[in-house]
Amino acid sequence: MDEKKIIFSGAQPSGKMTLGNYLGAIKNWTELQNEYECFFSVVDLHAITVPQEAKVLRENAMKLLAQYIACGLDPEKNTIFIQSHVKEHLELMWVLNTMTYMGELSRMTQFKDKSQKSEANLNAGLFTYPVLMAADILLYQTDLVPVGDDQKQHLELARDLANRFNNRYSPTFKIPEGYYPKGGARVMSLQEPTKKMSKSDSNENAFILLEDDPDTIRRKIKRSVTDSEGVVRYSPEQPGIKNLLDIYSALSGKPVDEIVKMYEGKGYGDFKTDTAEVIVGALEPMREKYLYLLNNKDYLEKIYSEGAQKAEAKARKTLRKVYRKVGFLERKY
Ligand code: TYM
């Protein structure tokens, strides 16, 4: 039997999960979990590149883990773990750091955006963050990385570093490919639909959280910013409506054209009401499961403990090769 190909992906426990995280990444994870050997991590090491309160970070890590499972990831099939529990991520990161050019990192748009927002917090971790992400991916000999398209540039760096290492030493890393959803690769803000939907937005009406209750979802969709055209059309000139169409389509499985036809001659009111119901229908069962799981801390701890052990075993193999190739003495104890 052929060995299954490998998937790695992760999300930061830096706040609450949005519909963007779900449609851009986690929905695809659940769809791919049967065909691939999957590693899904709660990337807490990444989260501390911006200030976090310890207690809240711990809570968010548990919540994110619960959300992974509530969204449909099967802990029996997948390796689900907390990034800081597998120290190999940091060890490989150091080696890769020494092979990454400063120029490469300063061109990363996410770094540029984040550093513009808060000059006071320009720490070195924020700068080298993509190297840690490359280490995450390369440690597991990953074939495929399902992410939203805001991570494309980071994934490119992981590929470049893998090639650089393989050329400088000898073939060691697989070269990973990105995997982006057809619809929902970039879910936009409900308030400024030319910006991506982000959990760190200060305006709560800009995003839908996976833990929002039905009425909150209805209210947020009703208030979402559209335009004065009054025609449901898929056009870059109507970014608000375009975004709602993308969300509707991704969650219902209906092609955008079909949805546009359904609203011919109708105003935005009906379209928004139905969009909200499509979202509620998709998220409500997950929210119920999530709330149930949060009360089962022992179960969650068991999942992440077993996950870390499996992840570590795989990560150690790659790291051992890397250490040998760069010329570190083998441990004899
Ligand atoms: P993070 O935590 O910001 O987001 C998690 C996933 O959600 C996707 N995403 C979106 N997709 C569509 N529309 C949006 N508005 C939207 N917002 C977020 C992201 O693309 C991502 O797939 N650096 C990563 C975490 C990471 C990682 C990795 C991912 C660390 N190491 C290794 C893959 C492989 C991040 O900050 O994602």
Side-chain angles (χ1 to χ4, degrees), residues 185-196:
R186 188 173 286 254
V187 177
M188 309 308 275
S189 153
L190 299 178
Q191 291 298 315
E192 288 173 78
T194 49
K195 267 178 37 186
K196 103 174 164 175

Side-chain angles (χ1 to χ4, degrees), residues 8-12 14 18 20-25 29 43 46 83 110 129 132-133 136-137 145-151 154 184-188 196-199:
F8 182 94
S9 202
Q12 294 190 64
S14 52
T18 68
N21 296 128
Y22 178 67
L23 289 178
W29 303 358
V43 294
H46 277 97
Q83 185 189 29
Q110 195 157 316
Y129 170 117
L132 179 58
M133 179 160 161
D136 297 341
I137 296 168
V145 187
V147 279
D149 77 3
D150 60 329
Q151 299 299 319
H154 293 162
R186 188 173 286 254
V187 177
M188 309 308 275
K196 103 174 164 175
M197 181 182 283
S198 163
K199 52 195 158 199

Side-chain angles (χ1 to χ4, degrees), residues 70-311:
C71 288
L73 292 183
D74 182 346
E76 301 283 325
K77 279 192 199 139
N78 303 295
T79 303
I80 302 176
F81 68 102
I82 311 291
Q83 185 189 29
S84 63
H85 293 177
V86 183
K87 64 182 185 330
E88 283 75 6
H89 289 245
L90 295 164
E91 295 177 282
L92 179 59
M93 182 203 189
W94 178 252
V95 175
L96 296 178
N97 256 341
T98 66
M99 303 181 67
T100 309
Y101 307 121
M102 301 285 282
E104 273 173 321
L105 294 179
S106 39
R107 283 193 294 276
M108 295 286 149
T109 44
Q110 195 157 316
F111 171 72
K112 286 199 265 184
D113 288 352
K114 285 199 181 171
S115 53
Q116 269 163 12
K117 267 189 213 149
S118 92
E119 281 283 324
N121 184 45
L122 264 190
N123 64 74
L126 200 58
F127 189 62
T128 56
Y129 170 117
V131 186
L132 179 58
M133 179 160 161
D136 297 341
I137 296 168
L138 300 180
L139 260 182
Y140 297 93
Q141 303 296 347
T142 301
D143 294 282
L144 211 60
V145 187
V147 279
D149 77 3
D150 60 329
Q151 299 299 319
K152 244 181 200 160
Q153 206 186 13
H154 293 162
L155 188 70
E156 244 352 273
L157 178 74
R159 289 165 56 87
D160 289 346
L161 288 174
N163 276 315
R164 198 170 297 159
F165 190 99
N166 290 352
N167 291 335
R168 189 176 299 177
Y169 300 100
S170 60
T172 308
F173 296 118
K174 257 199 212 149
I175 313 298
E177 300 281 342
Y179 186 94
Y180 307 96
K182 279 191 206 83
R186 188 173 286 254
V187 177
M188 309 308 275
S189 153
L190 299 178
Q191 291 298 315
E192 288 173 78
T194 49
K195 267 178 37 186
K196 103 174 164 175
M197 181 182 283
S198 163
K199 52 195 158 199
S200 55
D201 205 306
S202 53
N203 182 350
E204 293 206 343
N205 286 321
F207 50 76
I208 286 183
L209 297 176
L210 296 191
E211 59 174 71
D212 278 346
D213 61 46
D215 283 342
T216 307
I217 294 175
R218 291 184 186 114
R219 198 183 61 239
K220 287 182 176 176
I221 294 296
K222 204 168 184 182
R223 289 193 187 157
S224 68
V225 169
T226 51
D227 54 71
S228 53
E229 299 269 324
V231 181
V232 177
R233 208 190 284 129
Y234 195 76
S235 148
E237 270 127 58
Q238 293 172 247
I241 293 292
K242 180 171 179 281
N243 189 36
L244 295 184
L245 277 166
D246 276 327
I247 294 171
Y248 191 138
S249 169
L251 289 175
S252 67
K254 288 197 175 99
V256 166
D257 294 354
E258 198 179 303
I259 303 168
V260 169
K261 274 215 185 85
M262 285 162 53
Y263 294 93
E264 256 171 24
K266 294 186 186 166
Y268 291 163
D270 285 348
F271 173 59
K272 279 187 167 181
T273 308
D274 294 352
T275 304
E277 291 317 311
V278 167
I279 301 172
V280 169
L283 300 195
E284 193 49 15
M286 292 195 252
R287 190 173 75 101
E288 279 166 15
K289 187 156 184 211
Y290 164 70
L291 294 173
Y292 168 79
L293 285 166
L294 271 189
N295 286 322
N296 285 274
K297 211 168 154 229
D298 291 352
Y299 173 67
L300 295 173
E301 282 173 356
K302 181 167 169 280
I303 289 171
Y304 75 56
S305 306
E306 288 175 5
Q309 284 172 35
K310 278 204 267 169

Side-chain angles (χ1 to χ4, degrees), residues 319-328 330:
L319 191 75
R320 203 175 288 141
K321 274 193 210 160
V322 169
Y323 272 19
R324 184 163 43 78
K325 293 191 188 193
V326 300
F328 296 156
E330 203 185 328

